[in-house]
Amino acid sequence: MSRPSSPVPSIEVTPTIWNPYMNRFRLLSACLANVANALSDSAAGALIPYMEKYYDIGYAVVSLIFVGQAIGFLTSAIVLDPLRAKLGRAKLLGLAQGMLTLAYIAHVTGAPFPVIVCAYFFVGFSIGVNVAIANLFCGGLQNGTLMLGMMHGTYGLGGTVGPLIATAVVTAAGAIWTRYYLITLGIGACTVFLGTWSFWNYEKEMSPAANARENAPGQSVLSSMVGVLRLRVVTLGAIFIFAYQGAEVSISGWVISFLINTRDGDPARVGYVSSGFWAGITLGRFLLTHPAQRIGEKKVVYALTAGALMFQILVWCVPNIIGEAVAVSIVGLFLGPVYPCAAAVFMRCMTRQEALSGIATISACGSMGGAVAPFVTGLLAQAVGTWVLHPIVIFLFVVMLGCWYCIPAEQKRTE
């Protein structure tokens, strides 16, 4: 008597950069959007002194651009999941990148400062959407840590050339600071079409199991965010990435003002220092992410964060512009692999169903950190001086180490 045949469990194949075919263009779209994000974020530090003169405002008022961006990030986290469910990734990316392009029109035309602050809301919203979708896409590919490192490495590339171009525009070319945003406007327009086209059939190419998980009925958006925040890894991850991006953008945004006002540096020369910082981040992401995956992300992030903290202390204590420029670049080198390594650890600690809301929440908190910390730095710089940048960044590094220590041990995904 033969036994009844037992059902064969279906095996879910992990997608690669080459399969499905359109994944290569999706990765290109994510990388190009990340370059535009970095061109916007990194140039702020070089352009803030010129924005202050153009609008006749101080540190505290110009820091409102970070507030507008933070509100945009928060809004994107709240509406991302329902908009994704209703529109799909392609239309959502097209909408977000279209809003980004319109925001840069306000920059190019030199609109009144309140309009610029509102434009930064749309910049923050768009970056929040495209970063969350890109993190989920790259993290779900084979060799997810390496793919995340490549994608975030392109952010470093944009961050490296952004201050160089911005400084050249306002010094060598003698143009008004608004002309720099013609570049981000052009790239933003390209990503509208590339993102929409490459992700158009994304949901159709997903496996049945992945589609079922993503479209399963769930809680409301706020309930979903509160629910994932109950997960220890999401709460600690959100604080960790908040501190990481807060430190990263604060250094990029205010180190030039520190060198000009505290170290009496020449604006035409020190404007290039933040490019060294972003070059360090780029090299770190391209050269150190793969070895970190082999050694173990948990150990590597401890060492990198501690190294960044020590060199940040050197930037504060050594009164030499050349020495400080070198130390800032090394801080960037250490910080480079931290984000992709941390994102890979977070995703391994969550199920696939939790990852959609969890990574979106972590990304949104990180983007808010990149807006809130520079804003607080600007307020305090107005009151006591730009040297306040360094204790703020050192405090954020300590927060990162504390959160990383408390991150739970990695677990295999269970569905």
Side-chain angles (χ1 to χ4, degrees), residues 338-360:
V338 170
Y339 194 115
C341 288
V345 171
F346 300 150
M347 292 188 70
R348 287 201 294 266
C349 290
M350 291 183 278
T351 66
R352 293 181 189 271
Q353 194 168 5
E354 294 167 343
L356 184 64
S357 296
I359 292 297

Side-chain angles (χ1 to χ4, degrees), residues 36-328:
N37 298 344
L39 288 172
S40 175
D41 289 344
S42 65
L47 295 178
I48 277 177
Y50 301 95
M51 292 176 68
E52 291 172 350
K53 292 180 181 178
Y54 184 82
Y55 290 111
D56 193 22
I57 53 179
Y59 294 139
V61 177
V62 79
S63 296
L64 289 174
I65 62 175
F66 299 115
V67 176
Q69 200 161 335
I71 298 172
F73 291 138
L74 180 60
T75 304
S76 72
I78 295 173
V79 303
L80 176 65
D81 204 32
L83 283 179
R84 190 272 315 159
K86 186 172 183 178
L87 301 176
R89 285 170 174 79
K91 293 179 182 177
L92 178 56
L93 276 173
L95 172 66
Q97 297 306 105
M99 293 169 62
L100 182 75
T101 304
L102 292 175
Y104 287 136
I105 292 176
H107 288 72
V108 170
T109 57
F113 188 71
V115 177
I116 295 294
V117 173
C118 293
Y120 269 99
F121 166 84
F122 295 106
V123 172
F125 178 87
S126 173
I127 293 176
V129 169
N130 69 50
V131 167
I133 290 177
N135 277 335
L136 286 169
F137 169 70
C138 293
L141 298 174
Q142 282 186 11
N143 297 317
T145 302
L146 180 60
M147 294 298 104
L148 285 164
M150 288 179 58
M151 190 265 290
H152 287 287
T154 58
Y155 185 94
L157 285 174
T160 301
V161 301
L164 292 173
I165 298 172
T167 303
V169 165
V170 296
T171 56
I176 191 172
W177 65 272
T178 61
R179 297 298 177 261
Y180 169 80
Y181 288 97
L182 286 169
I183 300 170
T184 55
L185 175 63
I187 297 177
C190 291
T191 57
V192 173
F193 298 103
L194 182 58
T196 304
W197 171 69
S198 62
F199 279 92
W200 191 257
N201 292 315
Y202 182 84
E203 284 77 11
K204 293 180 181 178
E205 295 174 355
M206 292 171 64
S207 67
N211 254 320
R213 284 193 301 269
E214 200 163 277
N215 297 314
Q219 302 169 307
S220 66
V221 181
L222 289 177
S223 297
S224 177
M225 291 183 68
V226 171
V228 294
L229 282 172
R230 291 174 184 168
L231 297 174
R232 187 179 176 190
V233 66
V234 175
T235 302
L236 292 171
I239 299 172
F240 178 91
I241 296 298
F242 180 98
Y244 169 84
Q245 286 194 231
E248 181 184 71
V249 181
S250 293
I251 294 171
S252 173
W254 290 107
V255 70
I256 294 174
S257 295
F258 166 76
L259 293 175
I260 292 173
N261 294 290
T262 305
R263 301 294 193 229
D264 297 322
D266 179 2
R269 294 177 180 271
V270 299
Y272 298 106
V273 171
S274 56
S275 287
F277 173 71
W278 288 107
I281 286 180
T282 306
L283 288 175
R285 284 180 178 167
F286 281 121
L287 299 181
L288 301 181
T289 300
H290 184 58
Q293 186 178 12
R294 298 181 62 182
I295 297 169
E297 291 94 341
K298 283 282 286 185
K299 296 177 183 177
V300 170
V301 169
Y302 276 124
L304 294 172
T305 307
L309 189 154
M310 288 188 290
F311 275 91
Q312 186 64 38
I313 293 174
L314 286 179
V315 177
W316 187 8
C317 297
V318 176
N320 180 280
I321 291 180
I322 295 176
E324 289 170 331
V326 173
V328 165

Side-chain angles (χ1 to χ4, degrees), residues 383-413:
V384 298
T386 51
W387 62 267
V388 77
L389 163 69
H390 305 294
I392 290 175
V393 170
I394 290 168
F395 169 75
L396 292 172
F397 286 156
V398 172
V399 170
M400 288 170 61
L401 288 171
C403 289
W404 197 246
Y405 176 79
C406 297
I407 293 288
E410 295 176 27
Q411 301 170 354
K412 291 183 179 180
R413 282 179 171 175

